[in-house]
Amino acid sequence: MHYSFRKKPTLMTIGVLKEPEFETRVSLLPETVALLTKQDIAVWVEEDAGGKAFCSNTDYEKVGARVASRQAVIENAAILLAIHPLPATELQKLRSKILIGIYQPLFNRELMLHYSEHGLTTFSLDMLPRTTRAQSMDVLSSQANIAGYKAVITAANAYSRYFPMFMTAAGSIAPAKVLILGAGVAGLQAIATAKRLGAVVEVFDTRPAVKEEVQSLGAKFVEVEGAADASSGGGYAVDQTKAYKQKQQQKIADTIAKSDIVITTAQIPGKKAPLLVTEAMVVSMRKGSVIVDLAAATGGNTPLTKDGQQVLHHGVTIIGNSNLPATLPSDASKLYGKNLFNFLQLIVKAGEVALDWEDELVKGACITHDGQIVNERIK
């Protein structure tokens, strides 16, 4: 009698890599890994990848992931997940792999050239088109939301006075005056958080369309006439005329001189962050005031900003931090992982990699493929 055994099919494997030392987030938490294993996708996780997000190797194993060395994960996975770019020393091992993360390709074009030369297919989720369909995959929004919240908490912690108004037997305390430069996702969350803490909030943005949103959160909108149309910016700031910039600087200068806390969020994709707060403006603020600059990674919105550092200038504390989401690693990883899971549904079908170049989201997020840079914006 002969028995025939059907060989169990090999599962498509996704690998989760440990981030650099400065990063506390991880691409996937166990709860999101569980969603993938239910789809018959094998997930390999580098040892201690989730440690700084308070997830142990055992937590991953409990949901069906395999915990292994970095080398084993890279060798066995068809798709590798890493929020930050991988070091050049590892590129040789990555030939024909798919890499997904947040790589700021408009700012890191040379790095993308290296990736293409090594045959990687690279998806950078910060390049997803800002469409309604892409909202569930929008890592920029989910992480900016956290950054806006934490910027205000960071400012309150460094500020030498109270945020809310207090009436006490020992005297009255006036509420803090907060100026937020940029009413994108981070700016709007900063408004809501500052208002909850009892501050008086003013907001400046080059896009008149956000005025209603700002006011609905209880803040005052600082208007400057003559802004260039920002509809082509995909939710970001766009370059302005010289005349507008002069009016803008004067208006900001007048408002900053009366502010206790300034939170700056303005960035332009692929370019140095616009200089919105001059040294003279910083000097005009009263001692003990605080500036939190979320654009520090691309040069900062002040000339005194240093990314990852706290600078004291004329009694004003300037905090440059472009990675505030990493200070809330559990929720930041949870939201990022859900964005990533939703994107994976576009490129993994029935347990196989299936890249549909007719899909605007797949095409828009892809930077390198088949040995070349394929993204039109990077080209």
Side-chain angles (χ1 to χ4, degrees):
M1 189 179 287
H2 296 280
Y3 296 92
S4 70
F5 295 94
R6 291 185 67 187
K7 190 177 178 184
K8 190 176 179 181
T10 303
L11 300 181
M12 205 278 292
T13 304
I14 291 175
V16 178
L17 295 176
K18 189 176 180 181
E19 298 298 326
E21 197 57 37
F22 63 84
E23 181 59 72
T24 61
R25 294 171 295 175
V26 63
S27 291
L28 298 178
L29 292 180
E31 61 193 73
T32 313
V33 169
L35 298 176
L36 291 169
T37 55
K38 283 176 185 170
Q39 296 180 346
D40 287 331
I41 294 169
V43 180
W44 286 44
V45 180
E46 183 182 348
E47 291 167 332
D48 302 323
K52 291 180 181 176
F54 304 97
C55 293
S56 67
N57 294 334
T58 306
D59 293 331
Y60 284 103
E61 289 169 338
K62 281 179 182 174
V63 295
R66 180 166 178 174
V67 176
S69 68
R70 187 175 183 87
Q71 185 175 338
V73 173
I74 289 173
E75 284 176 2
N76 286 279
I79 298 176
L80 291 166
L81 309 179
I83 298 171
H84 293 278
L86 300 187
T89 52
E90 288 185 322
L91 294 186
Q92 204 61 47
K93 307 174 195 171
L94 303 176
R95 197 166 291 278
S96 302
K97 303 283 185 184
I98 294 174
L99 187 62
I100 308 176
I102 307 175
Y103 305 128
Q104 291 189 298
L106 288 166
F107 209 69
N108 294 320
R109 193 171 181 279
E110 287 301 313
L111 179 67
M112 295 301 106
L113 282 169
H114 284 310
Y115 279 14
S116 65
E117 288 163 4
H118 284 82
L120 272 77
T121 295
T122 311
F123 289 97
S124 192
L125 298 184
D126 50 324
M127 293 293 287
L128 275 165
R130 308 301 287 275
T131 63
T132 303
R133 185 167 156 254
Q135 283 180 351
S136 66
M137 310 161 206
D138 188 354
V139 295
L140 290 177
S141 290
S142 71
Q143 302 304 294
N145 209 303
I146 295 170
Y149 162 79
K150 200 59 191 279
V152 175
I153 303 300
T154 302
N157 195 44
Y159 184 45
S160 63
R161 299 173 177 87
Y162 278 125
F163 252 58
M165 181 175 72
F166 275 109
M167 309 283 286
T168 76
S172 298
I173 303 290
K177 292 178 181 173
V178 175
L179 173 64
I180 295 166
L181 300 179
V185 175
L188 292 171
Q189 183 55 251
I191 296 167
T193 306
K195 288 297 291 181
R196 285 189 206 109
L197 288 178
V200 174
V201 184
E202 291 189 299
V203 181
F204 169 81
D205 196 290
T206 57
R207 300 164 298 166
V210 300
K211 178 180 179 179
E212 198 174 310
E213 243 179 317
V214 166
Q215 291 175 331
S216 73
L217 290 168
K220 179 185 174 186
F221 189 71
V222 179
E223 289 192 76
V224 179
E225 300 290 330
D229 180 21
S231 60
S232 63
Y236 291 95
V238 294
D239 273 332
Q240 300 291 337
T241 64
K242 190 174 179 182
Y244 177 83
K245 284 178 181 175
Q246 286 173 341
K247 284 197 289 183
Q248 166 189 284
Q249 284 232 322
Q250 188 54 54
K251 194 78 170 183
I252 290 174
D254 294 343
T255 312
I256 278 183
K258 299 176 285 184
S259 300
D260 304 304
I261 308 285
V262 178
I263 293 170
T264 72
T265 69
Q267 297 194 68
I268 299 171
K271 297 189 177 180
K272 200 170 182 296
L275 191 66
L276 299 181
V277 181
T278 64
E279 185 177 355
M281 292 179 197
V282 174
V283 173
S284 75
M285 297 176 75
R286 70 169 170 166
K287 289 178 170 56
S289 297
V290 178
I291 297 171
V292 178
D293 191 341
L294 298 185
T298 52
N301 296 141
T302 94
L304 304 162
T305 301
K306 288 185 168 48
D307 195 17
Q309 292 184 43
Q310 187 167 303
V311 176
L312 188 66
H313 188 77
H314 279 263
V316 177
T317 301
I318 302 154
I319 300 168
N321 196 329
S322 56
N323 201 23
L324 277 175
T327 63
L328 296 175
S330 298
D331 279 343
S333 299
K334 177 179 180 174
L335 296 175
Y336 178 81
K338 196 63 197 293
N339 293 147
L340 191 48
F341 173 80
N342 291 330
F343 180 74
L344 286 168
Q345 305 310 296
L346 299 182
I347 65 169
V348 179
K349 308 283 186 184
E352 298 287 338
V353 173
L355 302 179
D356 177 9
W357 301 116
E358 297 300 312
D359 188 321
E360 63 168 346
L361 302 186
V362 174
K363 185 179 178 183
C366 189
I367 311 303
T368 68
H369 179 67
D370 203 19
Q372 57 189 322
I373 288 180
V374 294
N375 188 283
E376 291 300 325
R377 290 173 71 191
I378 312 303
K379 279 183 180 179

